[in-house]
Short mmCIF file of all heavy atoms in Angstrom, two decimals:
data_model
loop_
_atom_site.label_atom_id
_atom_site.label_comp_id
_atom_site.label_asym_id
_atom_site.label_seq_id
_atom_site.Cartn_x
_atom_site.Cartn_y
_atom_site.Cartn_z
N MET B 383 5.27 1.27 -13.89
CA MET B 383 3.86 1.27 -14.27
C MET B 383 3.45 2.58 -14.94
O MET B 383 2.51 2.59 -15.75
CB MET B 383 3.04 1.07 -12.99
CG MET B 383 1.55 0.89 -13.24
SD MET B 383 0.71 0.49 -11.68
CE MET B 383 -1.00 0.36 -12.24
N THR B 384 4.15 3.69 -14.62
CA THR B 384 3.76 4.97 -15.20
C THR B 384 4.72 5.46 -16.26
O THR B 384 4.64 6.62 -16.71
CB THR B 384 3.68 6.07 -14.08
OG1 THR B 384 4.97 6.21 -13.47
CG2 THR B 384 2.65 5.68 -13.05
N ALA B 385 5.62 4.62 -16.72
CA ALA B 385 6.60 5.06 -17.70
C ALA B 385 5.92 5.56 -18.99
O ALA B 385 6.43 6.55 -19.60
CB ALA B 385 7.54 3.88 -18.07
N ARG B 386 4.81 4.99 -19.35
CA ARG B 386 4.13 5.42 -20.59
C ARG B 386 3.57 6.83 -20.48
O ARG B 386 3.34 7.46 -21.52
CB ARG B 386 3.00 4.46 -20.91
CG ARG B 386 1.92 4.40 -19.83
CD ARG B 386 0.87 3.33 -20.09
NE ARG B 386 -0.10 3.26 -19.03
CZ ARG B 386 -1.18 4.05 -18.94
NH1 ARG B 386 -1.41 4.94 -19.89
NH2 ARG B 386 -2.06 3.91 -17.96
N MET B 387 3.40 7.33 -19.26
CA MET B 387 2.85 8.67 -19.08
C MET B 387 3.74 9.74 -19.73
O MET B 387 3.26 10.72 -20.29
CB MET B 387 2.68 9.02 -17.59
CG MET B 387 1.78 8.10 -16.84
SD MET B 387 0.07 8.16 -17.42
CE MET B 387 -0.68 6.96 -16.32
N GLN B 388 5.01 9.51 -19.70
CA GLN B 388 5.93 10.55 -20.19
C GLN B 388 6.00 10.56 -21.70
O GLN B 388 6.44 11.57 -22.29
CB GLN B 388 7.31 10.32 -19.61
CG GLN B 388 7.36 10.43 -18.09
CD GLN B 388 8.73 10.13 -17.51
OE1 GLN B 388 9.62 10.90 -17.66
NE2 GLN B 388 8.85 8.95 -16.85
N THR B 389 5.57 9.51 -22.36
CA THR B 389 5.57 9.47 -23.83
C THR B 389 4.20 9.76 -24.41
O THR B 389 4.11 10.22 -25.53
CB THR B 389 6.08 8.12 -24.33
OG1 THR B 389 5.26 7.07 -23.79
CG2 THR B 389 7.53 7.88 -23.90
N GLY B 390 3.15 9.50 -23.63
CA GLY B 390 1.82 9.78 -24.11
C GLY B 390 0.76 8.92 -23.47
O GLY B 390 0.90 7.68 -23.48
N ALA B 391 -0.25 9.53 -22.92
CA ALA B 391 -1.34 8.81 -22.26
C ALA B 391 -2.67 9.33 -22.83
O ALA B 391 -2.80 10.51 -23.14
CB ALA B 391 -1.30 9.02 -20.76
N LEU B 392 -3.64 8.43 -22.96
CA LEU B 392 -4.93 8.79 -23.49
C LEU B 392 -5.64 9.73 -22.53
O LEU B 392 -5.75 9.49 -21.33
CB LEU B 392 -5.80 7.53 -23.69
CG LEU B 392 -7.19 7.75 -24.23
CD1 LEU B 392 -7.17 8.36 -25.61
CD2 LEU B 392 -7.98 6.41 -24.21
N GLN B 393 -6.14 10.85 -23.08
CA GLN B 393 -6.85 11.83 -22.28
C GLN B 393 -8.35 11.73 -22.49
O GLN B 393 -8.80 11.04 -23.43
CB GLN B 393 -6.37 13.28 -22.66
CG GLN B 393 -4.88 13.47 -22.55
CD GLN B 393 -4.33 13.29 -21.13
OE1 GLN B 393 -4.83 13.93 -20.20
NE2 GLN B 393 -3.34 12.41 -20.98
N ALA B 394 -9.14 12.41 -21.67
CA ALA B 394 -10.59 12.29 -21.73
C ALA B 394 -11.15 12.81 -23.07
O ALA B 394 -12.21 12.40 -23.51
CB ALA B 394 -11.22 13.02 -20.59
N ASN B 395 -10.44 13.74 -23.69
CA ASN B 395 -10.89 14.29 -24.98
C ASN B 395 -10.46 13.44 -26.17
O ASN B 395 -10.66 13.82 -27.33
CB ASN B 395 -10.41 15.71 -25.16
CG ASN B 395 -8.89 15.84 -25.24
OD1 ASN B 395 -8.18 14.85 -25.15
ND2 ASN B 395 -8.41 17.07 -25.38
N GLY B 396 -9.83 12.29 -25.91
CA GLY B 396 -9.40 11.39 -26.98
C GLY B 396 -8.02 11.63 -27.47
O GLY B 396 -7.49 10.83 -28.29
N GLU B 397 -7.36 12.67 -27.03
CA GLU B 397 -6.00 12.97 -27.47
C GLU B 397 -5.01 12.10 -26.69
O GLU B 397 -5.29 11.64 -25.59
CB GLU B 397 -5.64 14.44 -27.28
CG GLU B 397 -6.45 15.39 -28.14
CD GLU B 397 -6.09 16.85 -27.92
OE1 GLU B 397 -5.24 17.10 -27.00
OE2 GLU B 397 -6.61 17.71 -28.59
N ILE B 398 -3.83 11.92 -27.25
CA ILE B 398 -2.70 11.29 -26.59
C ILE B 398 -1.71 12.39 -26.23
O ILE B 398 -1.29 13.15 -27.10
CB ILE B 398 -2.02 10.25 -27.48
CG1 ILE B 398 -3.00 9.17 -27.95
CG2 ILE B 398 -0.83 9.63 -26.75
CD1 ILE B 398 -3.53 8.31 -26.84
N ALA B 399 -1.40 12.51 -24.96
CA ALA B 399 -0.53 13.57 -24.51
C ALA B 399 0.39 13.10 -23.41
O ALA B 399 0.00 12.29 -22.55
CB ALA B 399 -1.36 14.78 -23.98
N PRO B 400 1.67 13.57 -23.42
CA PRO B 400 2.56 13.23 -22.34
C PRO B 400 2.13 13.90 -21.06
O PRO B 400 1.51 14.98 -21.06
CB PRO B 400 3.93 13.75 -22.84
CG PRO B 400 3.57 14.82 -23.81
CD PRO B 400 2.30 14.44 -24.46
N GLU B 401 2.44 13.29 -19.94
CA GLU B 401 2.09 13.85 -18.62
C GLU B 401 3.34 13.93 -17.73
O GLU B 401 4.19 13.06 -17.78
CB GLU B 401 1.03 12.98 -17.95
CG GLU B 401 -0.31 12.95 -18.67
CD GLU B 401 -1.38 12.18 -17.88
OE1 GLU B 401 -1.15 11.94 -16.66
OE2 GLU B 401 -2.44 11.87 -18.47
N PRO B 402 3.38 14.95 -16.90
CA PRO B 402 4.49 15.04 -15.96
C PRO B 402 4.43 13.93 -14.90
O PRO B 402 3.34 13.41 -14.61
CB PRO B 402 4.28 16.42 -15.26
CG PRO B 402 3.29 17.14 -16.13
CD PRO B 402 2.46 16.10 -16.80
N VAL B 403 5.59 13.56 -14.37
CA VAL B 403 5.65 12.59 -13.27
C VAL B 403 6.45 13.22 -12.15
O VAL B 403 7.12 14.24 -12.33
CB VAL B 403 6.26 11.25 -13.74
CG1 VAL B 403 5.41 10.57 -14.78
CG2 VAL B 403 7.68 11.44 -14.19
N MET B 404 6.42 12.58 -10.99
CA MET B 404 7.19 12.99 -9.84
C MET B 404 8.06 11.87 -9.34
O MET B 404 7.81 10.72 -9.67
CB MET B 404 6.29 13.52 -8.71
CG MET B 404 5.39 12.44 -8.16
SD MET B 404 4.38 13.02 -6.79
CE MET B 404 3.31 11.56 -6.59
N ASP B 405 9.07 12.20 -8.52
CA ASP B 405 9.92 11.20 -7.95
C ASP B 405 9.18 10.32 -7.00
O ASP B 405 8.50 10.84 -6.07
CB ASP B 405 11.11 11.90 -7.26
CG ASP B 405 12.22 10.96 -6.92
OD1 ASP B 405 11.99 9.75 -6.67
OD2 ASP B 405 13.41 11.41 -6.86
N VAL B 406 9.26 8.98 -7.12
CA VAL B 406 8.57 8.10 -6.21
C VAL B 406 9.06 8.24 -4.79
O VAL B 406 8.35 7.92 -3.85
CB VAL B 406 8.71 6.65 -6.71
CG1 VAL B 406 10.12 6.12 -6.53
CG2 VAL B 406 7.72 5.74 -6.02
N ALA B 407 10.28 8.77 -4.61
CA ALA B 407 10.80 8.98 -3.27
C ALA B 407 9.97 9.98 -2.48
O ALA B 407 9.90 9.91 -1.24
CB ALA B 407 12.28 9.45 -3.33
N ASP B 408 9.34 10.91 -3.20
CA ASP B 408 8.46 11.87 -2.50
C ASP B 408 7.22 11.19 -1.94
O ASP B 408 6.69 11.59 -0.89
CB ASP B 408 8.06 13.00 -3.45
CG ASP B 408 9.26 13.86 -3.87
OD1 ASP B 408 10.14 14.09 -2.99
OD2 ASP B 408 9.34 14.24 -5.06
N VAL B 409 6.74 10.18 -2.62
CA VAL B 409 5.61 9.40 -2.11
C VAL B 409 6.09 8.63 -0.87
O VAL B 409 5.40 8.59 0.16
CB VAL B 409 5.12 8.39 -3.17
CG1 VAL B 409 4.06 7.46 -2.58
CG2 VAL B 409 4.58 9.15 -4.38
N ALA B 410 7.24 8.01 -0.93
CA ALA B 410 7.76 7.20 0.19
C ALA B 410 7.91 8.05 1.45
O ALA B 410 7.57 7.63 2.54
CB ALA B 410 9.10 6.56 -0.20
N ARG B 411 8.42 9.27 1.28
CA ARG B 411 8.59 10.15 2.46
C ARG B 411 7.21 10.53 3.05
O ARG B 411 7.09 10.69 4.25
CB ARG B 411 9.38 11.39 2.05
CG ARG B 411 10.88 11.16 1.93
CD ARG B 411 11.63 12.42 1.82
NE ARG B 411 11.39 13.08 0.53
CZ ARG B 411 12.16 12.89 -0.55
NH1 ARG B 411 13.15 12.03 -0.51
NH2 ARG B 411 11.87 13.51 -1.70
N THR B 412 6.23 10.68 2.19
CA THR B 412 4.90 11.01 2.69
C THR B 412 4.30 9.87 3.49
O THR B 412 3.71 10.07 4.55
CB THR B 412 3.97 11.39 1.52
OG1 THR B 412 4.54 12.47 0.78
CG2 THR B 412 2.61 11.82 2.02
N VAL B 413 4.48 8.65 2.97
CA VAL B 413 3.98 7.49 3.70
C VAL B 413 4.71 7.35 5.03
O VAL B 413 4.09 7.09 6.08
CB VAL B 413 4.18 6.19 2.87
CG1 VAL B 413 3.85 4.95 3.70
CG2 VAL B 413 3.30 6.23 1.63
N ARG B 414 6.00 7.58 5.04
CA ARG B 414 6.75 7.48 6.30
C ARG B 414 6.23 8.53 7.32
O ARG B 414 6.09 8.23 8.48
CB ARG B 414 8.23 7.72 6.04
CG ARG B 414 9.07 7.67 7.33
CD ARG B 414 10.51 7.97 7.07
NE ARG B 414 11.17 8.30 8.33
CZ ARG B 414 12.34 8.88 8.43
NH1 ARG B 414 13.03 9.21 7.32
NH2 ARG B 414 12.88 9.16 9.63
N HIS B 415 5.95 9.74 6.84
CA HIS B 415 5.40 10.76 7.74
C HIS B 415 4.09 10.29 8.33
O HIS B 415 3.85 10.39 9.54
CB HIS B 415 5.20 12.07 6.99
CG HIS B 415 4.36 13.04 7.76
ND1 HIS B 415 4.82 13.69 8.90
CD2 HIS B 415 3.06 13.47 7.58
CE1 HIS B 415 3.83 14.47 9.37
NE2 HIS B 415 2.79 14.37 8.61
N MET B 416 3.20 9.77 7.50
CA MET B 416 1.91 9.25 7.99
C MET B 416 2.13 8.12 9.02
O MET B 416 1.46 8.03 10.04
CB MET B 416 1.06 8.76 6.84
CG MET B 416 0.63 9.85 5.87
SD MET B 416 -0.08 9.20 4.32
CE MET B 416 -1.67 8.59 4.90
N ALA B 417 3.11 7.27 8.70
CA ALA B 417 3.32 6.09 9.51
C ALA B 417 3.90 6.44 10.91
O ALA B 417 3.61 5.76 11.89
CB ALA B 417 4.31 5.16 8.80
N GLU B 418 4.70 7.50 10.96
CA GLU B 418 5.39 7.82 12.20
C GLU B 418 4.70 8.80 13.08
O GLU B 418 5.24 9.20 14.14
CB GLU B 418 6.85 8.28 11.89
CG GLU B 418 7.65 7.13 11.26
CD GLU B 418 9.10 7.48 11.02
OE1 GLU B 418 9.49 8.68 11.05
OE2 GLU B 418 9.91 6.52 10.81
N LEU B 419 3.48 9.20 12.73
CA LEU B 419 2.69 9.99 13.64
C LEU B 419 2.30 9.12 14.88
O LEU B 419 2.17 7.93 14.76
CB LEU B 419 1.40 10.47 12.98
CG LEU B 419 1.53 11.51 11.89
CD1 LEU B 419 0.16 11.71 11.19
CD2 LEU B 419 2.00 12.85 12.49
N PRO B 420 2.13 9.75 16.05
CA PRO B 420 1.61 8.98 17.16
C PRO B 420 0.19 8.53 16.84
O PRO B 420 -0.49 9.19 16.05
CB PRO B 420 1.65 10.00 18.32
CG PRO B 420 1.63 11.32 17.64
CD PRO B 420 2.39 11.15 16.36
N LEU B 421 -0.26 7.46 17.43
CA LEU B 421 -1.52 6.90 17.07
C LEU B 421 -2.68 7.81 17.47
O LEU B 421 -3.81 7.61 16.99
CB LEU B 421 -1.71 5.52 17.74
CG LEU B 421 -0.82 4.42 17.14
CD1 LEU B 421 -1.02 3.11 17.90
CD2 LEU B 421 -1.07 4.22 15.66
N GLU B 422 -2.40 8.81 18.26
CA GLU B 422 -3.46 9.80 18.57
C GLU B 422 -3.73 10.74 17.41
O GLU B 422 -4.69 11.52 17.46
CB GLU B 422 -3.03 10.58 19.83
CG GLU B 422 -2.97 9.78 21.11
CD GLU B 422 -1.77 8.90 21.21
OE1 GLU B 422 -0.76 9.15 20.46
OE2 GLU B 422 -1.78 7.98 22.05
N ALA B 423 -2.88 10.71 16.40
CA ALA B 423 -3.03 11.55 15.22
C ALA B 423 -3.10 10.70 13.97
O ALA B 423 -2.46 9.66 13.88
CB ALA B 423 -1.89 12.58 15.11
#
Side-chain angles (χ1 to χ4, degrees):
M383 187 175 179
T384 61
R386 62 186 177 84
M387 300 296 180
Q388 299 178 70
T389 57
L392 179 63
Q393 305 297 307
N395 64 0
E397 295 180 355
I398 304 294
E401 296 185 13
V403 297
M404 63 177 172
D405 193 330
V406 71
D408 294 322
V409 175
R411 284 191 289 268
T412 304
V413 173
R414 179 185 164 195
H415 167 71
M416 296 169 71
E418 294 185 344
L419 289 171
L421 291 177
E422 293 76 17

